Short mmCIF file of all heavy atoms in Angstrom, two decimals:
data_model
loop_
_atom_site.label_atom_id
_atom_site.label_comp_id
_atom_site.label_asym_id
_atom_site.label_seq_id
_atom_site.Cartn_x
_atom_site.Cartn_y
_atom_site.Cartn_z
N ASP A 1 3.36 15.30 3.71
CA ASP A 1 4.55 14.96 4.62
C ASP A 1 4.24 13.71 5.48
O ASP A 1 5.19 13.19 6.01
CB ASP A 1 4.87 16.10 5.52
CG ASP A 1 3.61 16.54 6.41
OD1 ASP A 1 2.45 16.33 5.98
OD2 ASP A 1 3.91 17.03 7.52
N ARG A 2 3.02 13.31 5.46
CA ARG A 2 2.70 12.05 6.12
C ARG A 2 2.39 10.88 5.22
O ARG A 2 1.77 9.84 5.67
CB ARG A 2 1.44 12.27 7.03
CG ARG A 2 1.66 13.27 8.20
CD ARG A 2 0.51 13.20 9.18
NE ARG A 2 -0.57 14.10 8.74
CZ ARG A 2 -1.93 13.67 8.67
NH1 ARG A 2 -2.22 12.47 9.06
NH2 ARG A 2 -2.82 14.53 8.31
N ALA A 3 2.92 10.98 4.00
CA ALA A 3 2.67 10.00 2.99
C ALA A 3 3.97 9.32 2.53
O ALA A 3 4.80 10.04 2.09
CB ALA A 3 1.79 10.56 1.84
N THR A 4 3.83 7.98 2.41
CA THR A 4 4.98 7.27 1.54
C THR A 4 4.25 6.50 0.43
O THR A 4 3.33 5.68 0.79
CB THR A 4 5.61 6.30 2.55
OG1 THR A 4 6.27 6.99 3.64
CG2 THR A 4 6.71 5.47 1.78
N LEU A 5 4.65 6.79 -0.77
CA LEU A 5 3.93 6.25 -1.95
C LEU A 5 4.88 5.19 -2.49
O LEU A 5 6.09 5.39 -2.72
CB LEU A 5 3.59 7.35 -2.98
CG LEU A 5 2.78 8.47 -2.50
CD1 LEU A 5 2.33 9.41 -3.53
CD2 LEU A 5 1.65 8.04 -1.58
N VAL A 6 4.30 4.01 -2.91
CA VAL A 6 5.10 2.84 -3.42
C VAL A 6 4.44 2.34 -4.62
O VAL A 6 3.22 2.14 -4.81
CB VAL A 6 5.04 1.81 -2.39
CG1 VAL A 6 5.89 0.59 -2.89
CG2 VAL A 6 5.63 2.33 -1.06
N HIS A 7 5.35 2.16 -5.69
CA HIS A 7 4.85 1.57 -6.97
C HIS A 7 4.85 -0.02 -6.79
O HIS A 7 5.91 -0.59 -6.74
CB HIS A 7 5.73 1.97 -8.06
CG HIS A 7 5.42 1.32 -9.46
ND1 HIS A 7 6.39 0.81 -10.30
CD2 HIS A 7 4.14 1.23 -10.02
CE1 HIS A 7 5.76 0.38 -11.37
NE2 HIS A 7 4.46 0.57 -11.23
N ALA A 8 3.69 -0.57 -6.68
CA ALA A 8 3.57 -2.08 -6.47
C ALA A 8 2.15 -2.45 -6.78
O ALA A 8 1.31 -1.57 -6.78
CB ALA A 8 3.98 -2.44 -5.06
N THR A 9 1.91 -3.72 -6.89
CA THR A 9 0.52 -4.27 -6.88
C THR A 9 0.09 -4.52 -5.48
O THR A 9 0.93 -4.80 -4.54
CB THR A 9 0.41 -5.55 -7.74
OG1 THR A 9 1.40 -6.48 -7.26
CG2 THR A 9 0.63 -5.23 -9.21
N TYR A 10 -1.20 -4.44 -5.24
CA TYR A 10 -1.61 -4.47 -3.92
C TYR A 10 -1.57 -5.84 -3.16
O TYR A 10 -1.82 -5.95 -1.98
CB TYR A 10 -2.99 -3.73 -3.79
CG TYR A 10 -4.13 -4.39 -4.48
CD1 TYR A 10 -5.16 -5.02 -3.84
CD2 TYR A 10 -4.21 -4.22 -5.88
CE1 TYR A 10 -6.17 -5.51 -4.57
CE2 TYR A 10 -5.28 -4.78 -6.57
CZ TYR A 10 -6.28 -5.38 -5.92
OH TYR A 10 -7.29 -5.96 -6.61
N ASP A 11 -1.22 -6.87 -3.91
CA ASP A 11 -0.97 -8.18 -3.24
C ASP A 11 0.46 -8.19 -2.60
O ASP A 11 0.78 -9.16 -2.00
CB ASP A 11 -1.18 -9.32 -4.17
CG ASP A 11 -0.26 -9.27 -5.38
OD1 ASP A 11 0.25 -8.13 -5.75
OD2 ASP A 11 -0.07 -10.27 -6.08
N GLU A 12 1.17 -7.04 -2.74
CA GLU A 12 2.48 -7.03 -2.19
C GLU A 12 2.39 -6.23 -0.91
O GLU A 12 3.55 -5.77 -0.48
CB GLU A 12 3.38 -6.39 -3.20
CG GLU A 12 3.58 -7.16 -4.50
CD GLU A 12 4.50 -6.48 -5.50
OE1 GLU A 12 4.04 -5.55 -6.20
OE2 GLU A 12 5.73 -6.80 -5.66
N ILE A 13 1.33 -6.09 -0.24
CA ILE A 13 1.23 -5.26 0.92
C ILE A 13 2.20 -5.67 2.00
O ILE A 13 2.92 -4.86 2.60
CB ILE A 13 -0.23 -5.39 1.53
CG1 ILE A 13 -1.22 -4.66 0.56
CG2 ILE A 13 -0.23 -4.80 2.90
CD1 ILE A 13 -2.67 -4.76 0.99
N ARG A 14 2.28 -6.91 2.20
CA ARG A 14 3.20 -7.50 3.22
C ARG A 14 4.60 -7.11 2.98
O ARG A 14 5.36 -6.64 3.85
CB ARG A 14 3.10 -9.03 3.40
CG ARG A 14 3.65 -9.59 4.67
CD ARG A 14 3.80 -11.10 4.53
NE ARG A 14 2.62 -11.75 4.15
CZ ARG A 14 1.75 -12.30 4.96
NH1 ARG A 14 1.96 -12.27 6.24
NH2 ARG A 14 0.73 -12.98 4.47
N ASP A 15 5.08 -7.30 1.63
CA ASP A 15 6.47 -6.91 1.29
C ASP A 15 6.76 -5.45 1.44
O ASP A 15 7.70 -5.04 1.87
CB ASP A 15 6.75 -7.39 -0.13
CG ASP A 15 6.73 -8.88 -0.25
OD1 ASP A 15 7.00 -9.56 0.75
OD2 ASP A 15 6.58 -9.37 -1.42
N VAL A 16 5.74 -4.71 1.06
CA VAL A 16 5.81 -3.11 1.19
C VAL A 16 6.04 -2.76 2.61
O VAL A 16 6.92 -1.98 2.90
CB VAL A 16 4.64 -2.44 0.61
CG1 VAL A 16 4.67 -0.99 0.92
CG2 VAL A 16 4.54 -2.65 -0.93
N LEU A 17 5.23 -3.31 3.49
CA LEU A 17 5.32 -3.05 4.98
C LEU A 17 6.70 -3.49 5.51
O LEU A 17 7.41 -2.73 6.27
CB LEU A 17 4.26 -3.56 5.78
CG LEU A 17 2.81 -2.96 5.48
CD1 LEU A 17 1.73 -3.77 6.20
CD2 LEU A 17 2.84 -1.44 5.97
N THR A 18 7.15 -4.63 5.08
CA THR A 18 8.47 -5.08 5.59
C THR A 18 9.60 -4.28 5.06
O THR A 18 10.48 -3.98 5.91
CB THR A 18 8.62 -6.61 5.01
OG1 THR A 18 7.67 -7.46 5.57
CG2 THR A 18 9.97 -7.08 5.45
N ASP A 19 9.57 -3.87 3.84
CA ASP A 19 10.54 -2.96 3.30
C ASP A 19 10.63 -1.67 4.03
O ASP A 19 11.70 -0.94 4.14
CB ASP A 19 10.40 -2.72 1.82
CG ASP A 19 10.64 -3.91 0.98
OD1 ASP A 19 11.20 -4.88 1.44
OD2 ASP A 19 10.21 -3.96 -0.20
N LEU A 20 9.55 -1.23 4.63
CA LEU A 20 9.40 0.05 5.39
C LEU A 20 9.66 -0.12 6.92
O LEU A 20 9.48 0.80 7.66
CB LEU A 20 8.06 0.72 5.14
CG LEU A 20 7.81 1.20 3.71
CD1 LEU A 20 6.44 1.68 3.54
CD2 LEU A 20 8.86 2.32 3.26
N ASP A 21 10.02 -1.45 7.27
CA ASP A 21 10.21 -1.80 8.67
C ASP A 21 8.95 -1.50 9.51
O ASP A 21 9.06 -1.11 10.67
CB ASP A 21 11.45 -1.01 9.27
CG ASP A 21 12.73 -1.42 8.61
OD1 ASP A 21 12.94 -2.62 8.30
OD2 ASP A 21 13.53 -0.56 8.51
N LEU A 22 7.78 -1.82 8.95
CA LEU A 22 6.61 -1.66 9.69
C LEU A 22 5.97 -2.98 9.98
O LEU A 22 5.87 -3.92 9.09
CB LEU A 22 5.56 -0.89 8.83
CG LEU A 22 5.95 0.54 8.49
CD1 LEU A 22 5.03 1.22 7.49
CD2 LEU A 22 5.98 1.37 9.85
N PRO A 23 5.66 -3.35 11.18
CA PRO A 23 5.15 -4.69 11.61
C PRO A 23 3.73 -5.04 11.14
O PRO A 23 3.34 -6.16 11.14
CB PRO A 23 5.20 -4.68 13.12
CG PRO A 23 4.99 -3.28 13.50
CD PRO A 23 5.75 -2.46 12.37
N GLY A 24 3.01 -3.94 10.74
CA GLY A 24 1.64 -4.25 10.30
C GLY A 24 0.89 -2.88 9.99
O GLY A 24 1.58 -1.83 10.02
N ALA A 25 -0.41 -3.05 9.86
CA ALA A 25 -1.22 -1.75 9.56
C ALA A 25 -2.42 -1.63 10.51
O ALA A 25 -2.85 -2.69 11.09
CB ALA A 25 -1.73 -1.91 8.10
N HIS A 26 -2.80 -0.44 10.78
CA HIS A 26 -3.99 -0.23 11.60
C HIS A 26 -5.28 -0.06 10.83
O HIS A 26 -6.36 -0.24 11.34
CB HIS A 26 -3.73 1.00 12.52
CG HIS A 26 -2.52 0.86 13.35
ND1 HIS A 26 -1.26 1.18 13.00
CD2 HIS A 26 -2.50 0.56 14.63
CE1 HIS A 26 -0.43 0.96 13.99
NE2 HIS A 26 -1.11 0.56 14.98
N ALA A 27 -5.19 0.23 9.53
CA ALA A 27 -6.33 0.28 8.67
C ALA A 27 -5.83 0.13 7.24
O ALA A 27 -4.74 0.48 6.86
CB ALA A 27 -6.96 1.71 8.84
N VAL A 28 -6.71 -0.49 6.47
CA VAL A 28 -6.41 -0.83 5.06
C VAL A 28 -7.69 -0.41 4.20
O VAL A 28 -8.80 -0.77 4.55
CB VAL A 28 -6.11 -2.29 4.85
CG1 VAL A 28 -5.88 -2.50 3.32
CG2 VAL A 28 -4.75 -2.71 5.55
N MET A 29 -7.43 0.31 3.08
CA MET A 29 -8.47 0.68 2.19
C MET A 29 -8.25 0.03 0.77
O MET A 29 -7.04 0.07 0.33
CB MET A 29 -8.63 2.14 2.05
CG MET A 29 -9.61 2.66 0.98
SD MET A 29 -11.30 2.51 1.62
CE MET A 29 -12.26 2.54 0.00
N MET A 30 -9.21 -0.50 0.15
CA MET A 30 -9.14 -1.00 -1.26
C MET A 30 -10.38 -0.52 -2.02
O MET A 30 -11.43 -0.87 -1.67
CB MET A 30 -9.02 -2.56 -1.29
CG MET A 30 -7.89 -3.19 -0.71
SD MET A 30 -7.89 -4.99 -0.98
CE MET A 30 -6.44 -5.55 -0.11
N ASP A 31 -10.07 0.23 -2.90
CA ASP A 31 -11.19 0.81 -3.86
C ASP A 31 -10.83 0.14 -5.20
O ASP A 31 -9.96 0.70 -5.89
CB ASP A 31 -11.19 2.36 -3.92
CG ASP A 31 -12.25 2.87 -4.70
OD1 ASP A 31 -13.17 2.12 -5.14
OD2 ASP A 31 -12.15 4.03 -5.04
N LEU A 32 -11.53 -0.86 -5.60
CA LEU A 32 -11.22 -1.75 -6.74
C LEU A 32 -11.60 -1.17 -8.04
O LEU A 32 -12.36 -0.12 -8.03
CB LEU A 32 -11.76 -3.12 -6.56
CG LEU A 32 -11.36 -3.85 -5.19
CD1 LEU A 32 -12.11 -5.11 -5.04
CD2 LEU A 32 -9.84 -3.95 -5.02
N GLY A 33 -11.15 -1.77 -9.13
CA GLY A 33 -11.73 -1.37 -10.42
C GLY A 33 -10.86 -0.28 -11.07
O GLY A 33 -9.70 -0.08 -10.74
N LEU A 34 -11.50 0.49 -12.01
CA LEU A 34 -10.82 1.41 -12.83
C LEU A 34 -11.09 2.78 -12.34
O LEU A 34 -12.25 3.16 -11.96
CB LEU A 34 -11.29 1.25 -14.28
CG LEU A 34 -10.47 1.90 -15.44
CD1 LEU A 34 -9.17 1.29 -15.46
CD2 LEU A 34 -11.18 1.71 -16.75
N SER A 35 -10.11 3.72 -12.32
CA SER A 35 -10.29 5.03 -11.87
C SER A 35 -10.72 5.97 -13.11
O SER A 35 -10.53 5.63 -14.22
CB SER A 35 -9.03 5.64 -11.28
OG SER A 35 -8.13 5.97 -12.24
N SER A 36 -11.37 7.08 -12.67
CA SER A 36 -11.73 8.01 -13.73
C SER A 36 -10.48 8.51 -14.56
O SER A 36 -10.62 8.67 -15.78
CB SER A 36 -12.43 9.33 -13.15
OG SER A 36 -13.51 8.93 -12.39
N PHE A 37 -9.38 8.63 -13.93
CA PHE A 37 -8.15 9.09 -14.61
C PHE A 37 -7.77 8.10 -15.71
O PHE A 37 -7.36 8.45 -16.79
CB PHE A 37 -6.97 9.17 -13.57
CG PHE A 37 -5.66 9.01 -14.13
CD1 PHE A 37 -5.10 9.94 -15.00
CD2 PHE A 37 -4.88 7.91 -13.80
CE1 PHE A 37 -3.84 9.82 -15.54
CE2 PHE A 37 -3.61 7.70 -14.32
CZ PHE A 37 -3.06 8.69 -15.25
#
């Protein structure tokens, strides 16, 4: 209930936040590479 999930590439962070009317972020995580899935 505290999650908003967005289909995008992570270089679109700024656009994603803008679309959600958010001025910025307090923390960002990037775990790069390929997932086990």
Side-chain angles (χ1 to χ4, degrees):
D1 60 329
R2 290 190 281 132
T4 300
L5 307 189
V6 181
H7 179 226
T9 53
Y10 59 112
D11 59 338
E12 299 175 280
I13 291 175
R14 195 197 308 265
D15 293 337
V16 169
L17 291 173
T18 299
D19 290 344
L20 295 173
D21 293 325
L22 296 171
H26 299 84
V28 176
M29 175 77 199
M30 293 183 184
D31 183 12
L32 307 175
L34 199 63
S35 76
S36 303
F37 155 68

